[in-house]
Amino acid sequence: MIDLPVAWANYISMGIFIFLGCLVWIVPKKAVIADRPITDRWRDLRIWAMVLIALQLGIYWVFS
Amino acid sequence: MHSLDLAVIIGYLGLITFVGIKLSSRVKNAHDFFLAGRSLAWWVVGLSIIGTNIDTNSYVGASGNAYNVGIAQANFEWIGAIPAMIIASLIFIPLYWRAGVYSIPEYLGLRYNQGVRVVAALIASVFAVFALGVAMWALALTLETYLGWPIWVGILVSGTVVGLYSIAGGLAAVAITDSIQVSIMFLCGILIVGIGISDAGGFGAFATTLTQDNPNHLQAYLPADSEDFPWPGVILGLGFVLSPAYWIGSQSILQRTLGARTQWDASASMMFAALAKTFIPLLVVFPGILALVMKADIEYPDMALPWVIKNVLPPGISGLMFVAIIAALQSSIDSGVNSTSLMITRDIRHVLIKNHNPEKDLIVGRYLTLVLLLSSMCIAPFIGDLGGIFTFLQTILSLFQGPMLALLLLGAMTQRATPMAGLWTLVSGVLVSAVLLLALEWNLLYVAFVSFCYSMIALWTVSGFTEKLSDEKLATLTYRPWSRT
C-alpha cells in the first residue's frame, strides 16, 4: 500500500469519471426528463453530467 | 473596522431578515414549512445545497489545509463530491421524489421498517444539536474577532437573525436566503482570485512562485503513506463511501431538493450544485495557496484566510468577505434547524406517539425550530468544554456511514433487501465499524470502506433468508426506470 505511486491516483480518478460517463447513458431519457416536456435538449440532465465529468477529467489531467 | 465594511455587514443582515420574513406569508401548513410547498426552482435549490454544504470549517480549515498540502485539499470538492452528486441527481432524488417522502429516514422507514427510521432520525438529530452549537460558537467567535462583539452578543444577534427568518418562513425562506448567501460567497471568491493574482504580479508570476517553492502543492493527491489523506483512503473511503453517504443520505442536503417544484427541478438542482461545487476550491482553497505565494507571516495555517482578508482585500470588499463567512455559517445553521425540526416532528414524533395529530405538524415544527436554536445558543458558549462530546458524537456518526450507505444503495437499487436484514445490517455494521475504529484504531477512511463492504455482503446474504416487502410497495420504493417504459 505504501509504495503505490501518486500518479495512479489521478489515473484511477479519471477512470472513475470515464466509467461514470458511460453509466450515465444507461439511464433512460424518460427517467431523466421526468415530468418536463421533451422540447429543449438542454433539459437532458445526462448532458449536464457529461459537462461535469469533462471538467473533472480536465482537472485531474492538469493537476497530475 | 472601516465604516464601509460595517455598512456592508449591517446591510446584509437587514436584507436577509427582510427577505426571510417577507416569505413567511407563504407558509400555511407543514408542507409549506418543511418542503416550501414544493415551489422552489432548480437554481435556488442548487445554490441552497451549496450554502448548506459550506461552513466555517470549509473556509478557515480548508484554507489552512491548502496552505499546508496545496490543491490536494480540493479533493473534498471533486472526487469526494461530484460522482456522488451525479448519482444522487439521476437516481436517488427521482426515487425519493416519487416515494413522496419528507425525509430520508422516512424513506428508510418505508423501505425497511420504522425502527430503522427512528434510529436514523435520532442519531442525526442528536448530532445536529451539537453541530449547531459548534456553528453558533464559530459565528460568535468570528463576530468577536472582526467586530469586537462579546461572545454572548454575537450568539444573541446571530440566533435572532436566523430564528426570525427560519421560524417564520420555513424551508422557502431558508433556501432563498441561502441562495443570496452563496451568491455573495462566489462574488467574494472571484474578487479574492482577481485581486490576489494581481497583487502577486499576474498569473505567470503567481504560478512560477508557487511551483518553484512548493512543487507538490499543485498535485491532486498526497502519497499513499500520508498520515492525514493517503490517496488510496481518499478514493476508497471518501470517494466510494463517505461522499455518497452524505450526498444521497444527508437530510439537510436533500430536504431542499424535495421542496423543488418538479422532479426535473429537483434533479437539475443537484447537477447545478455539482457545477458550483467544482469551483468551490476558488473560495476555500485558493486563499490558502495565495497566502503561501505571498509569503504570509502567519503563526499557523488556519490564519491564512484571515491574513488574506486583512492584507489583500480593500475596505468594503473585506467587509463583503466577512459577510461571506457569516453567510456560510448562517446557511448551515438555518438548514440544520429546519431539517432537524422536520426529523423530530415527523420521523420521531409520528412513530413514537401513536395518537399524534398531523394537523399540528406546523406549530410543532415551528416550536421545535425555536427550541433547537435556543439549545444551540445555550450550548455554544460551553462548546470548548463540550468539545470532547462533539468529537465523540462525530465518531459515532461516522460509524453509521458505511452501513447506512449499504441500506440506501441496496434498498433503492434492488428488490432483494428485506426489512429484517436492514435492521440487522445496521446494528452489526455499526459494531464492525466500532471494532475497526476504536479497538484496532484504523484510519477513518479505511473503516468507512470496510464497514460498507461488510454491510453490503451482510444485507445481501441475510435478505436471502428473510421476508421481503410486497411487489406493490417495492415498485415505488426501488429504482426501476426500465420497467416503466
Side-chain angles (χ1 to χ4, degrees):
Chain A
M1 183 75 78
I2 302 298
D3 293 330
L4 295 175
V6 177
W8 286 17
N10 288 70
Y11 300 142
I12 292 170
S13 300
M14 288 191 274
I16 290 170
F17 280 108
I18 290 168
F19 179 66
L20 188 61
C22 299
L23 280 186
V24 160
W25 294 99
I26 295 175
V27 178
K29 190 173 183 179
K30 187 184 169 189
V32 176
I33 301 290
D35 39 11
R36 303 283 278 213
I38 314 172
T39 49
D40 305 322
R41 187 154 172 77
W42 71 271
R43 289 194 187 283
D44 189 340
L45 296 176
R46 294 174 303 182
I47 295 172
W48 293 34
M50 295 314 291
V51 171
L52 285 169
I53 288 167
L55 279 171
Q56 292 297 314
L57 287 174
I59 284 169
Y60 281 102
W61 176 261
V62 168
F63 294 117
S64 59
Chain B
M1 171 165 279
H2 196 279
S3 54
L4 196 58
D5 290 336
L6 197 61
V8 169
I9 292 164
I10 292 171
Y12 160 77
L13 290 174
L15 173 73
I16 290 295
T17 310
F18 171 76
V19 170
I21 293 175
K22 191 149 177 60
L23 289 165
S24 64
S25 59
R26 289 189 189 179
V27 179
K28 302 282 189 288
N29 52 41
H31 187 252
D32 296 336
F33 188 74
F34 290 127
L35 295 185
R38 285 199 158 167
S39 62
L40 302 172
W42 59 272
W43 58 272
V44 172
V45 179
L47 291 174
S48 180
I49 288 171
I50 293 299
T52 305
N53 175 242
I54 299 179
D55 55 20
T56 311
N57 187 42
S58 307
Y59 262 115
V60 182
S63 295
N65 280 347
Y67 181 88
N68 268 342
V69 304
I71 204 81
Q73 175 63 28
N75 277 314
F76 286 88
E77 324 297 333
W78 295 336
I79 192 79
I82 306 298
M85 292 173 88
I86 291 173
I87 291 168
S89 168
L90 295 179
I91 294 174
F92 284 87
I93 290 172
L95 184 67
Y96 298 147
W97 179 274
R98 278 199 304 274
V101 295
Y102 277 57
S103 68
I104 309 310
E106 186 178 351
Y107 171 78
L108 287 169
L110 291 172
R111 182 63 184 85
Y112 293 100
N113 58 41
Q114 297 301 308
V116 174
R117 178 184 184 180
V118 172
V119 169
L122 206 57
I123 295 279
S125 301
V126 171
F127 176 76
V129 172
F130 280 87
L132 287 167
V134 171
M136 193 67 82
W137 166 252
L139 188 47
L141 207 58
T142 311
L143 290 167
E144 186 195 38
T145 307
Y146 288 93
L147 298 181
W149 292 2
I151 290 290
W152 69 271
V153 174
I155 290 173
L156 202 63
V157 170
S158 337
T160 307
V161 170
V162 174
L164 277 174
Y165 67 80
S166 55
I167 294 171
L171 182 64
V174 167
I176 290 170
T177 50
D178 280 359
S179 60
I180 296 171
Q181 289 158 346
V182 172
S183 304
I184 294 170
M185 287 181 217
F186 268 101
L187 177 64
C188 289
I190 291 165
L191 287 171
I192 283 193
V193 172
I195 296 170
I197 287 181
S198 169
D199 282 5
F203 185 76
F206 177 88
T208 307
T209 310
L210 179 64
T211 47
Q212 271 176 357
D213 298 346
N214 307 277
N216 295 331
H217 270 54
L218 283 181
Q219 281 189 353
Y221 285 99
L222 298 180
D225 58 357
S226 160
E227 203 167 289
D228 297 322
F229 305 122
W231 73 256
V234 170
I235 292 177
L236 295 175
L238 179 67
F240 281 114
V241 183
L242 295 176
S243 162
Y246 178 77
W247 291 104
I248 70 174
S250 166
Q251 175 59 24
S252 60
I253 289 292
L254 291 157
Q255 186 182 338
R256 53 258 308 107
T257 67
L258 300 173
R261 60 190 172 193
T262 65
Q263 183 192 311
W264 183 88
D265 281 83
S267 289
S269 70
M270 188 59 88
M271 286 288 188
F272 181 55
L275 181 66
K277 190 83 174 153
T278 304
F279 297 100
I280 290 291
L282 289 178
L283 277 68
V284 301
V285 173
F286 182 81
I289 295 176
L290 180 65
L292 190 68
V293 168
M294 296 183 80
K295 299 183 172 35
D297 180 24
I298 53 178
E299 288 174 28
Y300 50 94
D302 280 357
M303 292 296 292
L305 182 65
W307 185 89
V308 168
I309 293 175
K310 193 176 174 186
N311 295 282
V312 176
L313 300 179
I317 304 299
S318 59
L320 201 63
M321 188 62 212
F322 174 64
V323 160
I325 296 174
I326 300 178
L329 281 160
Q330 281 187 331
S331 56
S332 299
I333 294 172
D334 61 28
S335 305
V337 289
N338 190 267
S339 62
T340 309
S341 163
L342 165 62
M343 286 189 288
I344 299 174
T345 303
R346 286 180 58 90
D347 298 313
I348 297 175
R349 175 172 156 265
H350 280 203
V351 176
L352 299 184
I353 303 174
K354 294 298 173 197
N355 56 348
H356 68 272
N357 181 2
E359 299 290 319
K360 289 188 175 173
D361 280 1
L362 174 59
I363 191 83
V364 171
R366 276 186 162 147
Y367 271 121
L368 279 170
T369 305
L370 178 64
V371 168
L372 286 164
L373 256 179
L374 291 175
S375 304
S376 63
M377 289 164 74
C378 292
I379 290 173
F382 307 105
I383 213 69
D385 301 329
L386 297 172
I389 295 175
F390 181 69
T391 307
F392 173 73
L393 282 171
Q394 220 166 8
T395 307
I396 295 294
L397 186 74
S398 67
L399 300 180
F400 279 79
Q401 302 286 53
M404 286 296 282
L405 178 63
L407 259 65
L408 280 169
L409 271 183
L410 283 185
M413 302 302 292
T414 74
Q415 296 182 48
R416 183 180 172 91
T418 66
M420 191 53 72
L423 190 59
W424 279 109
T425 300
L426 186 59
V427 173
S428 61
V430 171
L431 284 174
V432 168
S433 303
V435 169
L436 295 176
L437 189 72
L438 305 175
L440 302 179
E441 296 183 350
W442 280 25
N443 181 302
L444 184 65
L445 294 168
Y446 294 124
V447 171
F449 184 69
V450 172
S451 68
F452 166 69
C453 293
Y454 161 80
S455 301
M456 289 287 281
I457 294 167
L459 185 54
W460 185 268
T461 309
V462 179
S463 293
F465 306 103
T466 46
E467 192 180 347
K468 66 177 190 176
L469 288 177
S470 66
D471 288 343
E472 193 184 347
K473 283 185 179 173
L474 287 172
T476 54
L477 297 171
T478 54
Y479 185 73
R480 294 192 298 178
W482 302 279
S483 66
R484 291 192 181 87
T485 53

